[in-house]
Amino acid sequence: MWSARSKAIGDYVKRCVCSNGRFMAGLVDHRSNPFGSSLASGVAETSRHALPFPCNMAAPFLVRRFESTLAGKQLELLHAGDADDDQALDFPGGKVTYTPEMKFIWENYVKRVPCYRVLDENGDQIMGSNFKEMSKEVALKMYNDMVTLQFMDTIFYEAQRQGRISFYMTTIGEEAINIASAAALNDDDLVLPQYREPGVLLWRGFTLQDFANQCFGNKDDGGKGRQMPVHYGSKKHNYLTVSSPIATQLPQAAGIAYSLKMDKQDACVVAFIGDGGTSEGDFHAGLNFAAVMEAPVIFICRNNGWAISTHISEQFRSDGIVVKGQAYGIRSIRVDGSDALAVYTAIHTAREMAVSEQRPVLVETLAYRIGHHSTSDDSTKYRPLDEIEYWKMARNPVNRFRGWIEKKGWWSEKEESELRISIKKQVLQAIQVAERTEKPPIAELFSDVYDQPPDNLREQETELRETINKYPQDYPSGFPF
Amino acid sequence: MTVREALNSALDEEMSADPKVFLMGEEVGEYQGAYKISKGLLDKYGPERVLDTPITEAGFTGIGVGAAYYGLRPIVEFMTFNFAMQAIDHIINSAAKSNYMSAGQMNVPIVFRGPNGAAAGVGAQHSHCYAAWYGSCPGLKVLTPYSSEDARGLLKAAIRDPDPVIFLENELLYGESFPVSAEALDSSFCLPIGKAKIEREGRDVTITAFSKMVGHSLKAAEILEKEGISAEVINLRSIRPLDRATINASVQKTNRLVTVEEGFPQHGVGAEICATIVEDSFGYLDAPVERIAGADVPMPYAANLERMAVPQVEDIVRAAKRVCHRSVPLAAAA
């Protein structure tokens, strides 16, 4: 008799599921293939006040004011499930099966999460790999931008060494992550960078002159000379201004994604973070809440092996960052960050998942940080020179992608040398122009502190102008007033 | 001795004297310190006493406070006090208040140190001065060394102090060299917390300053001297407790005051000094107090804008002259 009753419950529950056409967490096995399978769109309805019996279903128990009358029903269901108590625990959050065997989940994995890649070191497609096809136009733009990024980095770095700009950070080794991820996104997707993703801006149309103007802090800088070099930002390009404190962008990304979701926009949010940044408390808050809020955000973790001089082994003891995704209930993947096609494909798919299923996705890219942390760092002090050289020469993402486009007949030596000459010239010119351009006017010292300048700031500006007029010898010439 | 060497030697000596003292922060070990302040310490004391932490200020500050509760004497280094904001709950709600809340059962002999205030060309999130922030919080002691002697004496005092101490250094001062007396080089050397130093005696106007601004004030005093104004420059050394006695005594002598600080004006250190003068030395003032502070804007990056946002020597000179009601130099008087 008990088993008959429990079967009835089972049928009832199944009917509830089917009638709503939604997948219930805890009832249906949600281990799905991250590629290709199109899951039914729609939001999983989870009651915020999960009642402790098998059905998380909102439908019959939707309205809280009926709770008192449900008491009887609840008891019935609880007792009906007694036969199942031997196998499973009905607990807030879902059903958990019992086991008589005491077994710890070991801290290390027998096998680490594998890394998705499409191209080998020579740019040949690996047998059995699948990837998202792209047009010749897109592929060439990607390659162009990767080379531009390389040149920009090399020459701006030199400019800092020459004392022409005060600071710079390169993206060397991570060009594929920058450009391929940007190429896989839509222009409407909001990007929250950490600081090593100028390639995304480059892809979206930020010019070399724009980059140079920011680094020189001149009057043509869209950022009004407010920020130190490489702290780019552009509302027009949906790229939030770089903020120095690490990982603050992660919970912010979850918040923005939630707003997109409420507004039902066909867009997602993309937040970048480094391997070191995942140690911050904000990493936990950002991922955890993105999962709970079912927010359409892609977290891209650029694992480049180093956080200034702190090696990965001193940063965490987990199998990288990809395994942390599942801990938050977030779909995740590990990708070869030096493989532009793999990055492109993974991000493209992640985006589809994020937007159509309204869920967060975690992508861990692996690509060595070939450059120093910044111009204030000399990484040869803490890592061997031949290790750096190896990744630069043998595992370079730009070379690899060039191999692929050449083999497709889309690129040649001649075009390569023409491109290099042209880009070098453009970068040098951008720097020269930026250097000669005037600095921002004094009014920009006081604007944007608030929406409307308050009285005290207006007073300060007046006083300052009066002081400058009265004591011009105390103020350097050549600065615009 | 440079300020960097002074700090390094103070850390070295205190770690040597007391095995409970240990250092932790980002890049302090293998990298020898983001600003090389902890150079050589990892080699000398090993990874148990010089800990490289992952990037989580909230995390390692919390760990440090916990270690202090247990009885160790941690020195927590922030790469800059701007990043300490991510740990401010631990600093204020745990470190500062625990001794009081536990009725003396949980004390926190911890030192939080790192660069504070403006550097050069690093923008809003790397240039904030936190002297007034921490200075307003009971339970904390707040120190602002200027010279190498200050750095040595005050850091050693901070490490030995049973209360939580905020030790605000300045990146631009690390490389500056100052003469150091033989007494200051001794390993038992210690400066008292809560005592300001009169760097230069004068008769006509008192200039109070701390950290980098002390250097600016001394330069201003030299310019003023040539114009017949004798300025007394006070190096505050300690923001909390503030040496009100020394400041008041000085103003009672000179009758005029200019306060100088790099940080934002509202609720700044100068505001507090002004209040204390009004309370204790009102009758002695011959002119209203002048406050020199940074511009009331987040620090911009562009070189010209940054220069306008931070006090310059000329600003101090002009303020001193205003306070002395003179725009032309007087012949030297008795």
Side-chain angles (χ1 to χ4, degrees):
Chain A
M1 183 164 129
W2 284 112
S3 53
R5 284 184 79 171
S6 60
K7 183 173 179 299
I9 301 300
D11 282 343
Y12 171 69
V13 164
K14 276 203 199 96
R15 276 203 308 274
C16 290
V17 174
C18 292
S19 69
N20 268 325
R22 294 173 198 274
F23 293 115
M24 295 291 119
L27 283 181
V28 175
D29 186 349
H30 225 20
R31 274 193 303 274
S32 41
N33 176 0
F35 279 106
S37 69
S38 53
L39 298 162
S41 65
V43 179
E45 192 116 65
T46 51
S47 162
R48 292 209 192 291
H49 321 286
L51 304 166
F53 47 92
C55 192
N56 260 2
M57 173 75 90
F61 312 122
L62 186 59
V63 186
R64 294 204 69 181
R65 64 175 181 274
F66 293 137
E67 262 180 17
S68 56
T69 62
L70 299 179
K73 264 208 172 89
Q74 286 179 16
L75 276 172
E76 253 184 49
L77 285 173
L78 277 175
H79 284 303
D82 273 355
D84 288 339
D85 275 358
D86 295 343
Q87 280 84 44
L89 167 65
D90 299 319
F91 200 76
K95 217 165 170 152
V96 179
T97 52
Y98 285 119
T99 169
E101 188 192 346
M102 182 189 77
K103 193 166 169 220
F104 283 78
I105 302 173
W106 223 237
E107 70 272 12
N108 291 316
Y109 293 80
V110 171
K111 214 173 126 196
R112 292 191 63 176
V113 171
C115 183
Y116 167 60
R117 65 144 45 171
V118 174
L119 298 176
D120 68 16
E121 293 308 331
N122 301 317
D124 288 308
Q125 193 187 340
I126 292 170
M127 278 259 287
S129 66
N130 58 327
F131 69 97
K132 173 110 181 82
E133 295 286 347
M134 63 178 67
S135 66
K136 175 178 173 186
E137 222 185 308
V138 171
L140 290 187
K141 179 170 173 10
M142 274 174 62
Y143 182 67
N144 245 277
D145 281 357
M146 283 167 74
V147 175
T148 305
L149 184 53
Q150 252 189 350
F151 269 92
M152 189 174 95
D153 274 349
T154 311
I155 296 174
F156 277 46
Y157 186 90
E158 270 314 302
Q160 192 279 341
R161 282 290 175 257
Q162 292 164 10
R164 294 158 84 184
I165 55 177
S166 65
F167 178 80
Y168 193 71
M169 293 176 98
T170 62
T171 306
I172 302 179
E174 302 184 58
E175 294 88 347
I177 297 168
N178 267 241
I179 303 297
S181 64
L185 299 169
N186 287 4
D187 285 341
D188 289 337
D189 297 328
L190 279 135
V191 174
L192 283 86
Q194 177 163 308
Y195 50 58
R196 226 182 279 283
E197 304 90 13
V200 176
L201 258 183
L202 183 64
W203 175 270
R204 287 183 170 187
F206 214 60
T207 65
L208 288 169
Q209 196 61 62
D210 289 333
F211 284 113
N213 289 339
Q214 196 284 333
C215 287
F216 280 88
N218 63 33
K219 74 168 176 31
D220 290 336
D221 172 24
K224 299 183 190 173
R226 296 269 165 73
Q227 291 262 67
M228 48 189 293
V230 310
H231 287 58
Y232 313 110
S234 173
K235 186 165 183 180
K236 190 168 89 178
H237 299 101
N238 280 323
Y239 188 95
L240 273 76
T241 306
V242 174
S243 173
S244 304
I246 302 285
T248 51
Q249 69 274 17
L250 299 180
Q252 289 165 6
I256 297 177
Y258 192 65
S259 318
L260 283 181
K261 181 187 165 95
M262 285 175 69
D263 273 358
K264 298 192 176 40
Q265 298 290 329
D266 176 20
C268 71
V269 179
V270 177
F272 286 89
I273 186 75
D275 44 278
T278 65
S279 294
E280 282 283 5
D282 274 348
F283 174 79
H284 168 74
L287 267 70
N288 192 40
F289 278 95
V292 169
M293 296 190 301
E294 291 161 13
V297 48
I298 305 174
F299 294 107
I300 302 180
C301 178
R302 292 181 297 96
N303 183 344
N304 62 19
W306 296 94
I308 308 188
S309 74
T310 305
H311 187 256
I312 279 290
S313 56
E314 291 167 327
Q315 195 67 251
F316 42 65
R317 288 297 156 90
S318 51
D319 171 17
I321 292 106
V322 64
V323 292
K324 297 185 188 190
Q326 191 179 46
Y328 292 108
I330 294 180
R331 198 171 294 169
S332 328
I333 187 171
R334 170 174 276 161
V335 182
D336 181 350
S338 305
D339 180 342
L341 286 187
V343 174
Y344 180 78
T345 308
I347 300 297
H348 178 89
T349 311
R351 187 190 180 279
E352 256 177 24
M353 292 174 178
V355 177
S356 66
E357 294 177 57
Q358 293 290 292
R359 60 165 59 249
V361 181
L362 173 65
V363 178
E364 176 186 12
T365 60
L366 303 181
Y368 193 83
R369 189 194 82 204
I370 294 175
H372 305 306
H373 165 71
S374 72
T375 48
S376 307
D377 175 47
D378 175 7
S379 61
T380 59
K381 292 241 149 54
Y382 51 79
R383 57 183 187 173
L385 196 51
D386 50 12
E387 182 181 294
I388 305 171
E389 282 304 306
Y390 166 70
W391 283 90
K392 190 169 180 179
M393 306 314 290
R395 310 291 287 262
N396 194 297
V398 184
N399 296 344
R400 210 201 280 193
F401 195 54
R402 182 169 70 245
W404 187 67
I405 53 174
E406 273 174 354
K407 282 165 187 141
K408 285 202 75 103
W410 289 348
W411 197 246
S412 67
E413 265 304 320
K414 177 165 169 289
E415 284 157 303
E416 176 72 19
S417 51
E418 277 170 10
L419 177 67
R420 288 184 174 260
I421 293 170
S422 162
I423 299 215
K424 184 169 178 186
K425 199 161 141 204
Q426 287 174 55
V427 175
L428 286 171
Q429 190 177 34
I431 291 183
Q432 278 162 22
V433 170
E435 199 165 28
R436 284 197 303 261
T437 307
E438 270 185 351
K439 300 297 183 206
I442 292 237
E444 302 300 9
L445 180 62
F446 299 101
S447 60
D448 303 323
V449 182
Y450 297 97
D451 187 51
Q452 296 300 324
D455 288 339
N456 74 316
L457 280 186
R458 269 196 261 259
E459 258 176 55
Q460 283 188 27
E461 187 175 345
T462 311
E463 274 176 30
L464 177 61
R465 288 182 192 279
E466 282 169 4
T467 308
I468 295 170
N469 281 331
K470 208 166 165 195
Y471 305 101
Q473 71 277 13
D474 284 347
Y475 292 89
S477 59
F479 282 155
F481 301 124
Chain B
M1 183 183 247
T2 61
V3 171
R4 177 178 286 116
E5 287 161 350
L7 293 168
N8 182 269
S9 63
L11 288 171
D12 194 352
E13 286 161 22
E14 294 305 304
M15 285 179 77
S16 174
D18 184 350
K20 294 212 226 79
V21 176
F22 70 99
L23 174 66
M24 67 175 173
E26 293 154 3
E27 309 294 315
V28 295
E30 292 281 356
Y31 198 69
Q32 313 296 320
Y35 295 99
K36 306 291 177 268
I37 307 298
S38 52
K39 188 169 173 190
L41 295 180
L42 176 65
D43 282 340
K44 193 165 173 187
Y45 296 101
E48 303 248 301
R49 296 187 63 202
V50 180
L51 278 72
D52 273 323
T53 63
I55 308 179
T56 166
E57 280 73 11
F60 64 72
T61 306
I63 292 169
V65 171
Y69 284 160
Y70 180 77
L72 295 178
R73 303 189 82 93
I75 303 167
V76 175
E77 177 175 309
F78 294 114
M79 205 175 277
T80 129
F81 265 94
N82 293 273
F83 303 156
M85 299 274 280
Q86 295 183 289
I88 199 133
D89 179 77
H90 283 296
I91 299 172
I92 305 294
N93 277 331
S94 296
K97 300 178 184 173
S98 283
N99 197 42
Y100 186 81
M101 296 189 319
S102 72
Q105 294 171 86
M106 288 163 70
N107 60 343
V108 193
I110 196 169
V111 175
F112 299 107
R113 48 163 292 273
N116 173 63
V122 286
Q125 291 166 335
H126 291 74
S127 310
H128 202 134
C129 175
Y130 291 92
W133 278 56
Y134 293 119
S136 74
C137 186
L140 292 177
K141 290 183 177 157
V142 182
L143 301 177
T144 50
Y146 162 64
S147 63
S148 300
E149 192 169 301
D150 287 357
R152 262 183 69 78
L154 292 176
L155 185 53
K156 283 154 93 55
I159 295 170
R160 294 178 202 173
D161 197 284
D163 295 315
V165 181
I166 306 282
F167 196 80
L168 303 173
E169 301 160 6
N170 183 290
E171 190 201 319
L172 297 175
L173 285 177
Y174 283 149
E176 262 192 57
S177 198
F178 295 86
V180 187
S181 66
E183 188 206 340
L185 288 170
D186 188 78
S187 65
S188 65
F189 178 65
C190 203
L191 282 173
I193 292 181
K195 287 290 300 161
K197 180 184 180 198
I198 299 183
E199 293 283 349
R200 181 192 173 116
E201 284 193 17
R203 294 178 317 270
D204 297 327
V205 57
T206 301
I207 302 177
T208 62
F210 60 94
S211 189
K212 183 134 180 58
M213 292 293 122
V214 176
H216 279 28
S217 302
L218 288 170
K219 289 200 187 96
E222 276 179 33
I223 296 172
L224 289 164
E225 187 74 54
K226 295 197 186 82
E227 310 202 23
I229 298 176
S230 157
E232 178 151 292
V233 177
I234 302 182
N235 171 4
L236 292 176
R237 281 183 168 175
S238 180
I239 302 293
R240 177 179 267 270
L242 192 60
D243 189 353
R244 298 167 203 275
T246 300
I247 302 168
N248 274 288
S250 174
V251 173
Q252 287 175 17
K253 181 175 75 167
T254 64
N255 313 122
R256 292 176 185 86
L257 175 62
V258 174
T259 70
V260 184
E261 69 199 290
E262 220 176 50
F264 301 127
Q266 188 166 340
H267 308 300
V269 174
E272 176 62 28
I273 293 177
C274 187
T276 199
I277 294 298
V278 165
E279 284 161 7
D280 295 339
S281 308
F282 184 69
Y284 292 86
L285 283 172
D286 282 353
V289 175
E290 282 257 0
R291 271 189 305 176
I292 305 281
D296 200 24
V297 302
M299 182 70 74
Y301 164 75
N304 64 327
L305 299 184
E306 185 186 39
R307 194 189 178 285
M308 306 288 174
V310 178
Q312 304 296 329
V313 175
E314 299 79 45
D315 295 313
I316 304 174
V317 170
R318 282 196 297 266
K321 284 183 184 173
R322 280 194 302 270
V323 133
C324 294
H325 294 300
R326 291 171 197 161
S327 54
V328 288
L330 277 188

